[in-house]
Amino acid sequence: MGTVLTVSRKKGEILETTTQVVEIKSINAWTAFKLGLVAYLTLGLLFGIMVGIMFGIIGGVAGMEELQNTPFAGIVGVGGGFVGGIIFGLIWGVFYGIAGAVGMTFMALLYDLFAMIVGGIKITLKS
């Protein structure tokens, strides 16, 4: 722990700033799980819906060509392909969120193990 004296720019006052070095010894696994779930679920849903829309458009066009001579060509082709693509995107997003949360939890537990063996990450805080 150290003390650093700095000069204020306004009135030439001397301000005292303290620095403190702290070590991160443990990461709460439940907190890592929640953070990973929210972060990866958001990213997975965004990416999954974009890919799902792309698959939906491709599926819709393919469905229209395959069912050209039927009275329901436009409805079945575009609707089935597009809805299927969106469902794929949602499923992908949820899977990605759960996998990311499990991965972050595993990494937090590994960090705890290695921090016990070699020590945690040290950071410097100033106040």
Side-chain angles (χ1 to χ4, degrees):
M1 185 162 182
T3 301
V4 178
L5 298 177
T6 57
V7 178
S8 172
R9 292 185 183 175
K10 290 184 179 177
K11 299 179 183 178
E13 299 173 350
I14 296 178
L15 303 173
E16 185 177 336
T17 304
T18 59
T19 60
Q20 182 179 9
V21 176
V22 287
E23 181 178 341
I24 302 173
K25 295 184 179 186
S26 178
I27 297 175
N28 186 316
W30 177 244
T31 304
F33 179 83
K34 291 187 297 185
L35 179 65
L37 183 65
V38 170
Y40 283 100
L41 185 66
T42 303
L43 292 173
L45 285 174
L46 288 174
F47 179 74
I49 289 177
M50 287 188 308
V51 171
I53 289 172
M54 183 181 70
F55 283 167
I57 292 170
I58 292 169
V61 171
M64 284 176 50
E65 288 182 16
E66 190 175 324
L67 302 171
Q68 278 182 356
N69 298 327
T70 64
F72 302 107
I75 297 171
V76 174
V78 175
F82 189 74
V83 171
I86 295 297
I87 290 173
F88 167 78
L90 292 174
I91 291 172
W92 174 263
V94 170
F95 172 75
Y96 196 74
I98 293 170
V102 169
M104 278 192 73
T105 304
F106 180 70
M107 292 306 292
L109 294 172
L110 274 180
Y111 178 85
D112 291 348
L113 174 68
F114 294 138
M116 280 190 321
I117 296 169
V118 297
I121 296 174
K122 292 181 181 178
I123 59 173
T124 302
L125 302 175
K126 287 185 178 184
S127 62

